[in-house]
Structure formats: structure tokens, C-alpha cells
Amino acid sequence: MRGTISLLLAALFAPFSAGAAVAEGSLTIYTYESFTADWGPGPIVQKAFEAECSCNVRFVSVTDGVALLNRLKLEGQSTKADIVLGLDTNLTTDAKATGLFTPHGDLTNEVDVPGGWSDDIFVPYDYGYFAVVYDSEKLKDPPKSMAELVDGDPSEKIAIEDPRTSTPGLGLVLWIRKIYGDKATDAWAKLKGRVLTVTPGWSEAYGLLTKGEAPMVLSYTTSPAYHMIEEKTDRYKAASFAEGHYMQIEVAGMTKKGAENPLAGKFLDFMTGSKFQDAIPETNWMYPAGRTDKPLDPAFGQLVKPAKSLIYSSDEVAKNRKAWVDEWLSVMSR
């Protein structure tokens, strides 16, 4: 009863309390599940932005980045999204083709990613490099190249993500295509024997590594930083591949619906600033794409630094994505 009375009094007097925050609007952001997880950057970003805007931020999350684009295509003009956060440069041409996005204005001077940035629709918020992350207590001789991964011992398994729903899964398709070209089908046929399972998104695959069900997983060169900083262990490591590593730049964009909401533009601007960017390295475990107020933890200095960065242009991916994913599917479904 005391609790009920207290809650009732609080409800009666809260609107008149000095300094009470009054929501002045709401912002709907579509993103992926690991971003909004309790341990992800979503809760930190939400709290920081709501403190600035006196508004409500509503996250709507799906499994992974490709699933995010698929949902947007299904919803079309009826989408509730003001901001879509979690696509990457492999998807931006397809995303623009939906006609659902609008230019962000002049924010490109606020971001810093390898190779520079000049897109008028999408704004990067982090970047990283795909890598095979392995359990060093279970795998004493990890692959040192994609060739060693493809041709290696079939009893040493890897968990990978589905390129039809996941940006890491699509990243592996592009990585292998970049290295093997027209011989990618042969590479997939050899690698298939090492694949333990294909998951819809990154979270499920990475969980198989940490649960001890797979000695290797497709993740990022930055993933071991989590274990070093949060768990004080270097048990999980990223394998350095001689051919280079495929780069991923994650982006956000404002929808045409969002253009009618003043909070959407404010959020993109906020995203390039330190209150957002400071949350990226140790919650999304990627490199920040904008200004931070605090330096990276020294653990990031111990991570694999790709000798060569591999990437296709967004237009190249859009032109070939279906054929290359179908190529993967034809082998994996045999």
C-alpha cells in the first residue's frame, strides 16, 4: 500500500517538480539487436541523447544489418523509422535505391574513417575489420591466411553468419570473393566442411565461441578487446590473415519520415560527437568514426592490425550481391 501511495503522489507532483525533464517529442531508431542489448551502446546513447533533447528515444531492433534493410524494404513508405542505424557500406547503394532516405546535410567533416567519407545520405558511426576469432585454449595452430582456413582440418569448426540476414555473413562472402574471384565457389566448397553452423546474426555465432561449442567464429579484429578489458583474459584472439582483412564501415541514415522530425537531424549530429563516439569502442567493440573525449584503452593497441585492407565499393556490391550470395547458397545447401 505504501508503494502504491508513493507512486500516486509521485505521479501527481512530478509534472510540477522544479527541473523535471519534460519530453518534447520522440525519435524512432531501427537498428540491430547487439546495439540495443544491455551490454551494447544503445542504452548509453539513449540516456545521453534523451538528456540533451528532453525527448524519448525508441529503439526497434532486428537480428542484424541485412535483416534491417530487408525490414525497411518490406515496410516501404509506411515505415515508422526516423533513423536507420546499422547498415554498412556494402548495403548503402541498395538502401538508397529504396527512395526512403534523405540527405543528412553537412556532417561529413565530423567523421573520420579510413579512405575518407563523402556520402550525402549516410553517416558512419564506427568501423572495423572482419576476422576469424579463435579460442587459444582449444586451437593451438590457428589459420594464418584465408587459404589455411579454407584448406585446413575439417574437424576444427567455425561458426559463420548468414549473408542473407547478417552484415558479417555478407562480409565473409565479399572477403572470399575479393581473394578468390571467380574461384570463390571452389573455396566455399572446401570451407563448407569446416562450418559448424550458419546463424542469422553475429550474437548467436559469437555465443557459440564463448560457450565452447565452436573453436572459431567469424567476428572482428577488435572482438578480443572485450575479453581483455572486461574479462582480463587474452584467451580469445583474432587470426591475422596474410591476404588482408575485409573492412566494414557501419552507417546511419535519416528517412524521409525522419526529415519531418527535428530530432532526427539532431541525432545524426549527436552521433558524430563524443557522447556517442565514446560509447563505441567498449560497447560495440569497433573503432570510433568520430571525435572521442577519451583515448582508446591500451588493449586496442594489442589487436591485429591488417597489413592490407580489402573492400568493394557499395555500387560493386549492389551489382553483384545477389549473384555472390546465391553462389554461397548453392554450395552450402548441397
Side-chain angles (χ1 to χ4, degrees), residues 62 64-75 84 86-88 90-98 100-101 122 165 321:
V62 297
D64 212 320
V66 183
L68 184 59
L69 178 59
N70 293 340
R71 172 165 178 163
L72 202 65
K73 287 180 175 179
L74 286 173
E75 292 182 348
V84 177
L87 305 177
D88 67 12
N90 299 315
L91 301 172
T92 52
T93 294
D94 278 348
K96 289 177 184 176
T98 66
L100 298 175
F101 289 91
F122 293 101
T165 52
R321 181 161 70 104

mmCIF file of all heavy atoms in Angstrom, residues 62 64-75 84 86-88 90-98 100-101 122 165 321:
data_model
loop_
_atom_site.group_PDB
_atom_site.id
_atom_site.type_symbol
_atom_site.label_atom_id
_atom_site.label_comp_id
_atom_site.label_asym_id
_atom_site.label_seq_id
_atom_site.Cartn_x
_atom_site.Cartn_y
_atom_site.Cartn_z
ATOM 1 N N VAL A 62 16.286 -5.574 -34.962
ATOM 2 C CA VAL A 62 16.149 -6.844 -35.664
ATOM 3 C C VAL A 62 17.480 -7.584 -35.531
ATOM 4 O O VAL A 62 18.440 -7.068 -34.961
ATOM 5 C CB VAL A 62 15.794 -6.648 -37.149
ATOM 6 C CG1 VAL A 62 14.448 -5.960 -37.292
ATOM 7 C CG2 VAL A 62 16.876 -5.840 -37.861
ATOM 8 N N ASP A 64 20.100 -8.467 -37.420
ATOM 9 C CA ASP A 64 21.391 -7.964 -37.893
ATOM 10 C C ASP A 64 21.156 -6.977 -39.037
ATOM 11 O O ASP A 64 20.019 -6.677 -39.385
ATOM 12 C CB ASP A 64 22.278 -9.133 -38.340
ATOM 13 C CG ASP A 64 23.761 -8.873 -38.096
ATOM 14 O OD1 ASP A 64 24.190 -7.729 -38.333
ATOM 15 O OD2 ASP A 64 24.471 -9.789 -37.681
ATOM 16 N N GLY A 65 22.254 -6.471 -39.612
ATOM 17 C CA GLY A 65 22.164 -5.361 -40.546
ATOM 18 C C GLY A 65 21.432 -5.646 -41.845
ATOM 19 O O GLY A 65 20.668 -4.802 -42.327
ATOM 20 N N VAL A 66 21.645 -6.828 -42.437
ATOM 21 C CA VAL A 66 20.948 -7.135 -43.687
ATOM 22 C C VAL A 66 19.459 -7.310 -43.417
ATOM 23 O O VAL A 66 18.609 -6.869 -44.210
ATOM 24 C CB VAL A 66 21.538 -8.387 -44.358
ATOM 25 C CG1 VAL A 66 20.838 -8.649 -45.689
ATOM 26 C CG2 VAL A 66 23.044 -8.223 -44.593
ATOM 27 N N ALA A 67 19.126 -7.924 -42.288
ATOM 28 C CA ALA A 67 17.727 -8.057 -41.890
ATOM 29 C C ALA A 67 17.091 -6.680 -41.698
ATOM 30 O O ALA A 67 15.893 -6.484 -41.954
ATOM 31 C CB ALA A 67 17.613 -8.875 -40.607
ATOM 32 N N LEU A 68 17.900 -5.734 -41.269
ATOM 33 C CA LEU A 68 17.416 -4.359 -41.081
ATOM 34 C C LEU A 68 16.972 -3.765 -42.420
ATOM 35 O O LEU A 68 15.898 -3.162 -42.523
ATOM 36 C CB LEU A 68 18.547 -3.538 -40.460
ATOM 37 C CG LEU A 68 18.295 -2.099 -40.062
ATOM 38 C CD1 LEU A 68 17.172 -2.005 -39.040
ATOM 39 C CD2 LEU A 68 19.579 -1.483 -39.495
ATOM 40 N N LEU A 69 17.800 -3.939 -43.441
ATOM 41 C CA LEU A 69 17.434 -3.435 -44.768
ATOM 42 C C LEU A 69 16.223 -4.180 -45.312
ATOM 43 O O LEU A 69 15.327 -3.567 -45.914
ATOM 44 C CB LEU A 69 18.629 -3.579 -45.717
ATOM 45 C CG LEU A 69 18.378 -3.145 -47.166
ATOM 46 C CD1 LEU A 69 17.955 -1.680 -47.243
ATOM 47 C CD2 LEU A 69 19.640 -3.374 -48.022
ATOM 48 N N ASN A 70 16.180 -5.500 -45.093
ATOM 49 C CA ASN A 70 15.033 -6.275 -45.565
ATOM 50 C C ASN A 70 13.733 -5.778 -44.940
ATOM 51 O O ASN A 70 12.704 -5.677 -45.613
ATOM 52 C CB ASN A 70 15.235 -7.760 -45.236
ATOM 53 C CG ASN A 70 16.377 -8.375 -46.023
ATOM 54 O OD1 ASN A 70 16.801 -7.849 -47.056
ATOM 55 N ND2 ASN A 70 16.893 -9.495 -45.533
ATOM 56 N N ARG A 71 13.771 -5.478 -43.640
ATOM 57 C CA ARG A 71 12.555 -4.982 -42.970
ATOM 58 C C ARG A 71 12.134 -3.637 -43.547
ATOM 59 O O ARG A 71 10.949 -3.372 -43.767
ATOM 60 C CB ARG A 71 12.798 -4.854 -41.468
ATOM 61 C CG ARG A 71 11.621 -4.156 -40.768
ATOM 62 C CD ARG A 71 11.621 -4.320 -39.287
ATOM 63 N NE ARG A 71 10.496 -3.585 -38.696
ATOM 64 C CZ ARG A 71 10.024 -3.786 -37.475
ATOM 65 N NH1 ARG A 71 10.563 -4.722 -36.723
ATOM 66 N NH2 ARG A 71 9.018 -3.073 -37.007
ATOM 67 N N LEU A 72 13.118 -2.801 -43.787
ATOM 68 C CA LEU A 72 12.821 -1.474 -44.331
ATOM 69 C C LEU A 72 12.169 -1.589 -45.706
ATOM 70 O O LEU A 72 11.226 -0.861 -46.023
ATOM 71 C CB LEU A 72 14.118 -0.662 -44.410
ATOM 72 C CG LEU A 72 13.967 0.843 -44.445
ATOM 73 C CD1 LEU A 72 13.363 1.349 -43.149
ATOM 74 C CD2 LEU A 72 15.309 1.508 -44.703
ATOM 75 N N LYS A 73 12.670 -2.502 -46.526
ATOM 76 C CA LYS A 73 12.087 -2.696 -47.858
ATOM 77 C C LYS A 73 10.646 -3.185 -47.749
ATOM 78 O O LYS A 73 9.789 -2.767 -48.519
ATOM 79 C CB LYS A 73 12.925 -3.701 -48.643
ATOM 80 C CG LYS A 73 14.262 -3.162 -49.130
ATOM 81 C CD LYS A 73 15.023 -4.231 -49.897
ATOM 82 C CE LYS A 73 16.297 -3.686 -50.501
ATOM 83 N NZ LYS A 73 17.073 -4.731 -51.228
ATOM 84 N N LEU A 74 10.377 -4.068 -46.798
ATOM 85 C CA LEU A 74 9.019 -4.581 -46.623
ATOM 86 C C LEU A 74 8.058 -3.479 -46.180
ATOM 87 O O LEU A 74 6.918 -3.411 -46.630
ATOM 88 C CB LEU A 74 9.014 -5.724 -45.603
ATOM 89 C CG LEU A 74 9.587 -7.062 -46.069
ATOM 90 C CD1 LEU A 74 9.686 -8.039 -44.909
ATOM 91 C CD2 LEU A 74 8.715 -7.655 -47.177
ATOM 92 N N GLU A 75 8.522 -2.609 -45.302
ATOM 93 C CA GLU A 75 7.650 -1.554 -44.777
ATOM 94 C C GLU A 75 7.460 -0.422 -45.776
ATOM 95 O O GLU A 75 6.408 0.222 -45.796
ATOM 96 C CB GLU A 75 8.236 -1.010 -43.472
ATOM 97 C CG GLU A 75 8.209 -2.018 -42.330
ATOM 98 C CD GLU A 75 8.745 -1.442 -41.026
ATOM 99 O OE1 GLU A 75 9.348 -0.331 -41.054
ATOM 100 O OE2 GLU A 75 8.560 -2.082 -39.992
ATOM 101 N N VAL A 84 17.680 4.997 -39.395
ATOM 102 C CA VAL A 84 18.072 3.599 -39.555
ATOM 103 C C VAL A 84 19.566 3.533 -39.268
ATOM 104 O O VAL A 84 20.365 4.166 -39.959
ATOM 105 C CB VAL A 84 17.765 3.084 -40.967
ATOM 106 C CG1 VAL A 84 18.248 1.642 -41.128
ATOM 107 C CG2 VAL A 84 16.270 3.173 -41.249
ATOM 108 N N GLY A 86 22.802 0.960 -38.554
ATOM 109 C CA GLY A 86 23.304 -0.413 -38.535
ATOM 110 C C GLY A 86 23.484 -1.021 -39.897
ATOM 111 O O GLY A 86 23.831 -2.190 -40.016
ATOM 112 N N LEU A 87 23.233 -0.254 -40.960
ATOM 113 C CA LEU A 87 23.612 -0.709 -42.295
ATOM 114 C C LEU A 87 25.117 -0.524 -42.416
ATOM 115 O O LEU A 87 25.748 0.127 -41.572
ATOM 116 C CB LEU A 87 22.878 0.109 -43.361
ATOM 117 C CG LEU A 87 21.350 0.148 -43.257
ATOM 118 C CD1 LEU A 87 20.773 1.063 -44.326
ATOM 119 C CD2 LEU A 87 20.759 -1.254 -43.377
ATOM 120 N N ASP A 88 25.707 -1.079 -43.480
ATOM 121 C CA ASP A 88 27.118 -0.785 -43.736
ATOM 122 C C ASP A 88 27.301 -0.412 -45.197
ATOM 123 O O ASP A 88 26.334 -0.394 -45.971
ATOM 124 C CB ASP A 88 28.028 -1.931 -43.286
ATOM 125 C CG ASP A 88 27.849 -3.202 -44.110
ATOM 126 O OD1 ASP A 88 27.195 -3.151 -45.173
ATOM 127 O OD2 ASP A 88 28.362 -4.247 -43.702
ATOM 128 N N ASN A 90 28.365 -1.903 -47.599
ATOM 129 C CA ASN A 90 28.004 -2.928 -48.568
ATOM 130 C C ASN A 90 26.520 -2.886 -48.919
ATOM 131 O O ASN A 90 26.080 -3.586 -49.833
ATOM 132 C CB ASN A 90 28.365 -4.319 -48.015
ATOM 133 C CG ASN A 90 29.844 -4.444 -47.753
ATOM 134 O OD1 ASN A 90 30.654 -4.051 -48.584
ATOM 135 N ND2 ASN A 90 30.206 -4.981 -46.595
ATOM 136 N N LEU A 91 25.758 -2.109 -48.180
ATOM 137 C CA LEU A 91 24.303 -2.070 -48.363
ATOM 138 C C LEU A 91 23.781 -0.690 -48.748
ATOM 139 O O LEU A 91 22.589 -0.536 -49.033
ATOM 140 C CB LEU A 91 23.605 -2.509 -47.065
ATOM 141 C CG LEU A 91 23.934 -3.909 -46.553
ATOM 142 C CD1 LEU A 91 23.320 -4.118 -45.165
ATOM 143 C CD2 LEU A 91 23.428 -4.971 -47.517
ATOM 144 N N THR A 92 24.647 0.321 -48.748
ATOM 145 C CA THR A 92 24.131 1.686 -48.898
ATOM 146 C C THR A 92 23.544 1.972 -50.285
ATOM 147 O O THR A 92 22.575 2.724 -50.400
ATOM 148 C CB THR A 92 25.214 2.728 -48.563
ATOM 149 O OG1 THR A 92 26.400 2.437 -49.310
ATOM 150 C CG2 THR A 92 25.538 2.720 -47.089
ATOM 151 N N THR A 93 24.106 1.384 -51.332
ATOM 152 C CA THR A 93 23.522 1.609 -52.661
ATOM 153 C C THR A 93 22.118 1.023 -52.720
ATOM 154 O O THR A 93 21.181 1.669 -53.230
ATOM 155 C CB THR A 93 24.406 0.983 -53.757
ATOM 156 O OG1 THR A 93 25.659 1.681 -53.791
ATOM 157 C CG2 THR A 93 23.741 1.096 -55.124
ATOM 158 N N ASP A 94 21.944 -0.197 -52.202
ATOM 159 C CA ASP A 94 20.609 -0.807 -52.163
ATOM 160 C C ASP A 94 19.660 0.008 -51.289
ATOM 161 O O ASP A 94 18.477 0.159 -51.608
ATOM 162 C CB ASP A 94 20.698 -2.231 -51.615
ATOM 163 C CG ASP A 94 21.116 -3.229 -52.686
ATOM 164 O OD1 ASP A 94 21.104 -2.860 -53.875
ATOM 165 O OD2 ASP A 94 21.460 -4.365 -52.329
ATOM 166 N N ALA A 95 20.177 0.523 -50.171
ATOM 167 C CA ALA A 95 19.335 1.312 -49.267
ATOM 168 C C ALA A 95 18.878 2.605 -49.946
ATOM 169 O O ALA A 95 17.711 3.007 -49.831
ATOM 170 C CB ALA A 95 20.098 1.625 -47.985
ATOM 171 N N LYS A 96 19.793 3.249 -50.666
ATOM 172 C CA LYS A 96 19.410 4.478 -51.383
ATOM 173 C C LYS A 96 18.343 4.194 -52.438
ATOM 174 O O LYS A 96 17.458 5.002 -52.679
ATOM 175 C CB LYS A 96 20.639 5.095 -52.040
ATOM 176 C CG LYS A 96 21.621 5.727 -51.072
ATOM 177 C CD LYS A 96 22.845 6.242 -51.819
ATOM 178 C CE LYS A 96 23.881 6.799 -50.869
ATOM 179 N NZ LYS A 96 25.117 7.229 -51.573
ATOM 180 N N ALA A 97 18.442 3.017 -53.076
ATOM 181 C CA ALA A 97 17.503 2.661 -54.144
ATOM 182 C C ALA A 97 16.077 2.509 -53.636
ATOM 183 O O ALA A 97 15.132 2.547 -54.435
ATOM 184 C CB ALA A 97 17.959 1.373 -54.823
ATOM 185 N N THR A 98 15.894 2.352 -52.320
ATOM 186 C CA THR A 98 14.536 2.271 -51.771
ATOM 187 C C THR A 98 13.816 3.606 -51.876
ATOM 188 O O THR A 98 12.585 3.664 -51.811
ATOM 189 C CB THR A 98 14.557 1.843 -50.285
ATOM 190 O OG1 THR A 98 15.195 2.878 -49.514
ATOM 191 C CG2 THR A 98 15.278 0.524 -50.088
ATOM 192 N N LEU A 100 13.796 5.775 -49.641
ATOM 193 C CA LEU A 100 13.249 6.096 -48.315
ATOM 194 C C LEU A 100 14.120 7.069 -47.525
ATOM 195 O O LEU A 100 13.695 7.555 -46.480
ATOM 196 C CB LEU A 100 13.078 4.800 -47.505
ATOM 197 C CG LEU A 100 12.099 3.775 -48.083
ATOM 198 C CD1 LEU A 100 12.119 2.506 -47.239
ATOM 199 C CD2 LEU A 100 10.686 4.353 -48.121
ATOM 200 N N PHE A 101 15.341 7.351 -48.008
ATOM 201 C CA PHE A 101 16.275 8.163 -47.226
ATOM 202 C C PHE A 101 16.395 9.577 -47.796
ATOM 203 O O PHE A 101 16.077 9.828 -48.956
ATOM 204 C CB PHE A 101 17.647 7.491 -47.194
ATOM 205 C CG PHE A 101 17.684 6.243 -46.357
ATOM 206 C CD1 PHE A 101 17.423 5.000 -46.939
ATOM 207 C CD2 PHE A 101 17.937 6.304 -44.994
ATOM 208 C CE1 PHE A 101 17.436 3.844 -46.170
ATOM 209 C CE2 PHE A 101 17.956 5.148 -44.224
ATOM 210 C CZ PHE A 101 17.699 3.915 -44.814
ATOM 211 N N PHE A 122 24.313 8.871 -45.975
ATOM 212 C CA PHE A 122 24.654 8.083 -44.787
ATOM 213 C C PHE A 122 25.856 8.661 -44.046
ATOM 214 O O PHE A 122 26.777 9.199 -44.659
ATOM 215 C CB PHE A 122 24.917 6.626 -45.170
ATOM 216 C CG PHE A 122 23.678 5.923 -45.650
ATOM 217 C CD1 PHE A 122 23.459 5.727 -47.001
ATOM 218 C CD2 PHE A 122 22.726 5.495 -44.741
ATOM 219 C CE1 PHE A 122 22.299 5.103 -47.444
ATOM 220 C CE2 PHE A 122 21.563 4.877 -45.177
ATOM 221 C CZ PHE A 122 21.346 4.678 -46.532
ATOM 222 N N THR A 165 21.014 -12.285 -43.969
ATOM 223 C CA THR A 165 20.451 -11.543 -42.839
ATOM 224 C C THR A 165 21.498 -10.730 -42.076
ATOM 225 O O THR A 165 21.128 -9.832 -41.313
ATOM 226 C CB THR A 165 19.784 -12.508 -41.838
ATOM 227 O OG1 THR A 165 20.720 -13.547 -41.499
ATOM 228 C CG2 THR A 165 18.540 -13.148 -42.456
ATOM 229 N N ARG A 321 25.755 -8.516 -55.419
ATOM 230 C CA ARG A 321 25.414 -9.154 -54.139
ATOM 231 C C ARG A 321 24.543 -10.394 -54.312
ATOM 232 O O ARG A 321 24.846 -11.449 -53.754
ATOM 233 C CB ARG A 321 24.733 -8.151 -53.210
ATOM 234 C CG ARG A 321 24.375 -8.740 -51.842
ATOM 235 C CD ARG A 321 24.154 -7.659 -50.812
ATOM 236 N NE ARG A 321 22.960 -6.887 -51.033
ATOM 237 C CZ ARG A 321 21.828 -7.022 -50.331
ATOM 238 N NH1 ARG A 321 21.769 -7.926 -49.386
ATOM 239 N NH2 ARG A 321 20.791 -6.251 -50.570
#
